[in-house]
Amino acid sequence: MTTPSTPSSGRRLGRTTTRRAAEAVVRAIIYLCGWMAIIILGAIAVFLMWNSLRAVQEAGLVTMLTGTAWYPTSSPGKFGMLPLILGSLFVTGVALAVCVPVGVAAAVFISEFSGRLVKEVMKSIIEFMAAVPSVVYGLIGVAVLIPFVRQFFGLDTGMTALTGGIVLGIMSIPTVISISEDALHAVPAELRQGSAALGNTRWQTTFKVTIPAASSGIFAAVMLGLGRAIGETMAVLMLTGNAAVMPTSIFESVRTMTGTIAAEMGEVVQGGLHYSVLFAVGLVLFTITFAINLAADLVLERQRKRWRR
Amino acid sequence: MVTPVLVSGDGTLVYNGGPVSATVPAVRDEAIDTTGDARGSFSLAGVSVAYGKDLVIEGVDMHIPPQAVTALIGPSGCGKSTLLRCLNRMNDELGNVHIGGTITLDGQSIMGKAMDPVELRMRVGQVFQRPNPFPMSIYDNVAYGPRTQGVRRRGELDGLVEESLKGAALWEEVKKSLKKHAFELSGGQQQRLCIARALATKPEVILMDEPASALDPISTQQIEDTIAELKSSVTIVIVTHNMQQAARISDRTAFMLRESLEEPAHLVEIGDTKKMFTNPDDERTESYITGRFG
């Protein structure tokens, strides 16, 4: 652009250098922001690993992952995480059983069978549903669901994996609906028309063409809902009874991984073994959610490629 | 701008107080009385179409003979595709579309409650502008329609798939790879797959909405050859922008025109393709065909 060949262009040369420098700074900042997500993610992983090092050394990774007794304050402490992992799985399983059918059915209704007005209203309400703080869901669960579960199933306590799972499921519904709806919406209208033109009713078209065509997106929606459910803390802390014992059914009190960290972190000695073990629990949780999100992402990417013709 | 249109109780369009078909001089279609025994002939009388309150097509009288190719031509926005979609009630899918007049298929009305659109579409197939194979295998694409109709037996399905793919001149290219995903085919192959898919339900009529406009010349040629083969067994109604194509493949040609945005489109002339392209009755037809507008 500027070729400084004469002495009179000295000022312009100076300005160009400043501009180049400014550009380099801006570029560096933007690059840094772009890489920030990856840096933070990596830092979290390293931080968790670093802090759980003592737990791995003293309690042993395999012992922790397979141990069935969680008595962190006895002496010596027992740090079997299996009750916590199973607790999380039980609660998440119930949550999935609630949010997948309801969420996918609602997405099908919104995408395929509702008018434009209903669609817009429903989508706004669902966004709002996602914005309700989890402690509010927990409160409603305490007030309504705990007594209901106790009476309906004739249990000693209403604070069970089932109770927590139902509320978690309801909390995950917005995620499942909005991602599934996006996937259904992305199915080209020509496919629906092609099916209708072959003498299929709207239901037949939905089940035979639209849902299969959107299946990987719906799968990703379920995975993201799962990620939301497994990582949720507050509602499960309020609703599951927090008994860190090996659960045998969903009608028992359980303690989840997230609940354990939140409940015990305030009582531990910083840098102590128990402290380190809680980080190890966090690391397990991080690994599980990371794997789920990664799987969902890979599936979505495959869907995107498939539509690129 | 907005033409006042009312839909009266029996489904006919009423326009400025009278039935729509009464307000325009009908274009006479001499072939209108030639209904024979062959299946797959349409008769349209005073057909008008309104999107909401906007009248877009007015007073079309037309006969579509069986086992022949009828081409609908005209400039963009003249209602060719809309009229085509009346023939298998695909306008119903768009919502807020009102159709007046009468359309009969083999003497039977296909309007309103007189015909179930789902049943109609099994008899009147459609091939779209862009190939739209379903995201499944070649075999499953072709077997899709028959399965809807309740065909479950493997042998019967296999037979239908082979017959339909042969009908669409695709069999030789795909017979060894029926399990392959339909998206792996080229654009032209995909469009012939869509023709095969439409053939598999044994329709009387196949509607084609610019079926070759998204394809290269060689694929276009193959589609045209396929159409020539097919017309001995099914009626074909084709919308095309390409006048050479209409002249090459059709037996009859209908020319539609919307003279201004203030008025609805109407049928200018319909007749044997040869006559339409060499000695049309209407000078607007001649101007359009010779490329003076449109």
Side-chain angles (χ1 to χ4, degrees):
Chain A
M1 279 182 284
T2 47
T3 37
S5 51
T6 56
S8 66
S9 69
R11 258 177 64 205
R12 272 172 69 199
L13 173 68
R15 227 189 293 158
T16 312
T17 323
T18 325
R19 209 163 55 196
R20 284 220 183 105
E23 206 167 288
V25 169
V26 169
R27 191 187 299 161
I29 290 173
I30 289 173
Y31 269 45
L32 194 68
C33 293
W35 284 92
M36 195 61 91
I38 294 170
I39 294 169
I40 290 174
L41 194 69
I44 289 173
V46 169
F47 181 74
L48 285 175
M49 281 188 243
W50 177 254
N51 279 288
S52 44
L53 205 60
R54 185 170 167 201
V56 173
Q57 281 166 347
E58 291 182 29
L61 189 62
V62 178
T63 320
M64 281 195 292
L65 286 176
T66 56
T68 57
W70 178 263
Y71 298 116
T73 48
S74 69
S75 129
K78 289 185 175 166
F79 300 106
M81 285 183 204
L82 211 51
L84 314 179
I85 296 173
L86 282 181
S88 280
L89 291 183
F90 275 41
V91 172
T92 308
V94 173
L96 279 186
V98 172
C99 74
V100 172
V102 177
V104 173
V108 167
F109 169 73
I110 293 171
S111 167
E112 306 299 311
F113 295 97
S114 67
R116 227 184 52 202
L117 184 69
V118 176
K119 195 177 203 158
E120 291 309 314
V121 171
M122 295 272 287
K123 284 176 94 165
S124 320
I125 291 174
I126 286 156
E127 271 165 34
F128 187 73
M129 207 176 145
V132 175
S134 59
V135 68
V136 173
Y137 282 104
L139 275 178
I140 296 166
V142 168
V144 180
L145 205 59
I146 289 180
F148 174 79
V149 167
R150 186 170 55 81
Q151 278 169 16
F152 191 82
F153 294 102
L155 304 171
D156 297 333
T157 171
M159 298 173 118
T160 63
L162 178 71
T163 320
I166 291 172
V167 173
L168 271 195
I170 292 170
M171 290 172 65
S172 306
I173 284 173
T175 311
V176 176
I177 293 180
S178 76
I179 312 263
S180 302
E181 206 272 329
D182 284 348
L184 290 165
H185 187 78
V187 175
E190 291 104 42
L191 286 188
R192 294 189 187 86
Q193 286 171 10
S195 176
L198 285 167
N200 283 274
T201 62
R202 226 148 157 203
W203 279 105
Q204 286 172 320
T205 298
T206 301
F207 280 107
K208 288 161 65 183
V209 171
T210 318
I211 292 177
S215 58
S216 40
I218 293 173
F219 173 73
V222 171
M223 297 302 260
L224 291 175
L226 180 78
R228 168 112 166 84
I230 207 167
E232 171 53 38
T233 310
M234 188 47 77
V236 289
L237 204 57
M238 295 168 78
L239 296 170
T240 57
N242 298 314
V245 290
M246 287 293 282
T248 53
S249 86
I250 56 169
F251 299 108
E252 292 169 18
S253 289
V254 294
R255 162 84 74 87
T256 63
M257 291 186 276
T258 50
T260 305
I261 299 174
E264 294 178 8
M265 206 44 151
E267 306 158 6
V268 298
V269 182
Q270 198 169 3
L273 179 58
H274 188 185
Y275 174 88
S276 179
V277 169
L278 290 183
F279 272 95
V281 173
L283 187 61
V284 171
L285 192 62
F286 176 81
T287 311
I288 293 174
T289 48
F290 185 80
I292 289 170
N293 274 294
L294 187 68
D297 240 32
L298 290 175
V299 170
L300 273 179
E301 185 56 30
R302 200 182 70 189
Q303 159 127 332
R304 239 172 261 136
K305 272 199 193 118
R306 186 186 274 190
W307 292 120
R308 206 181 298 136
R309 312 188 228 162
Chain B
M1 288 295 274
V2 177
T3 318
V5 176
L6 291 167
V7 183
S8 71
D10 59 350
T12 51
L13 286 177
V14 179
Y15 166 60
N16 286 349
V20 166
S21 52
T23 64
V24 283
V27 175
R28 287 255 48 92
D29 182 358
E30 284 85 18
I32 208 151
D33 298 323
T34 58
T35 19
D37 307 327
R39 292 171 355 127
S41 64
F42 275 109
S43 283
L44 288 70
V47 173
S48 300
V49 182
Y51 287 131
K53 290 189 166 173
D54 249 339
L55 193 62
V56 291
I57 297 180
E58 191 169 26
V60 171
D61 287 352
M62 188 187 285
H63 178 71
I64 295 168
Q67 273 123 67
V69 179
T70 301
L72 302 181
I73 62 168
S76 298
C78 73
K80 310 179 293 279
S81 296
T82 302
L83 187 67
L84 190 79
R85 283 197 303 269
C86 289
L87 303 180
N88 64 346
R89 297 274 298 270
M90 281 298 277
N91 283 322
D92 291 20
E93 303 292 310
L94 304 176
N96 207 18
V97 178
H98 307 291
I99 302 170
T102 54
I103 303 177
T104 59
L105 172 60
D106 302 336
Q108 184 191 0
S109 174
I110 64 163
M111 308 286 281
K113 291 195 168 61
M115 171 69 80
D116 175 12
V118 169
E119 191 197 318
L120 174 67
R121 289 173 199 152
M122 293 188 184
R123 293 167 61 188
V124 182
Q126 183 172 359
V127 175
F128 295 81
Q129 190 168 356
R130 271 169 48 100
N132 59 347
F134 300 134
M136 47 182 86
S137 72
I138 295 170
Y139 184 97
D140 289 337
N141 261 281
V142 183
Y144 187 90
R147 279 176 176 149
T148 300
Q149 295 173 332
V151 179
R152 285 282 172 273
R153 278 199 12 252
R154 190 73 196 181
E156 197 178 345
L157 277 177
D158 287 349
L160 273 171
V161 168
E162 177 173 347
E163 193 184 322
S164 308
L165 284 169
K166 277 179 175 160
L170 189 60
W171 175 250
E172 288 305 319
E173 291 158 61
V174 301
K175 63 181 175 188
K176 289 197 179 67
S177 50
L178 293 174
K179 292 273 162 268
K180 208 160 90 172
H181 201 275
F183 290 178
E184 289 175 44
L185 297 175
S186 73
Q189 287 175 323
Q190 287 187 3
Q191 192 63 307
R192 277 179 285 146
L193 178 65
C194 293
I195 294 176
R197 189 173 71 187
L199 285 175
T201 57
K202 305 260 179 208
E204 300 162 35
V205 185
I206 293 187
L207 311 176
M208 300 188 175
D209 191 353
E210 301 188 40
S213 64
L215 303 179
D216 62 88
I218 290 171
S219 301
T220 302
Q221 172 80 48
Q222 284 169 326
I223 300 281
E224 290 183 8
D225 292 346
T226 310
I227 291 171
E229 286 282 315
L230 284 177
K231 74 173 184 185
S232 60
S233 50
V234 289
T235 307
I236 290 170
V237 187
I238 182 169
V239 165
T240 178
H241 260 116
N242 180 333
M243 272 174 291
Q244 286 75 28
Q245 187 173 59
R248 278 194 301 267
I249 62 175
S250 71
D251 302 297
R252 304 193 83 219
T253 298
F255 172 54
M256 291 178 70
L257 190 58
R258 187 175 196 176
E259 313 222 19
S260 75
L261 285 175
E262 279 76 32
E263 0 173 10
H266 61 102
L267 179 67
V268 174
E269 190 174 356
I270 180 167
D272 284 341
T273 298
K274 258 198 204 106
K275 181 172 181 299
M276 288 285 283
F277 278 87
T278 52
N279 184 24
D281 288 334
D282 195 296
E283 59 186 55
R284 287 167 298 182
T285 312
E286 192 178 359
S287 306
Y288 180 69
I289 281 165
T290 52
R292 253 173 271 163
F293 73 95

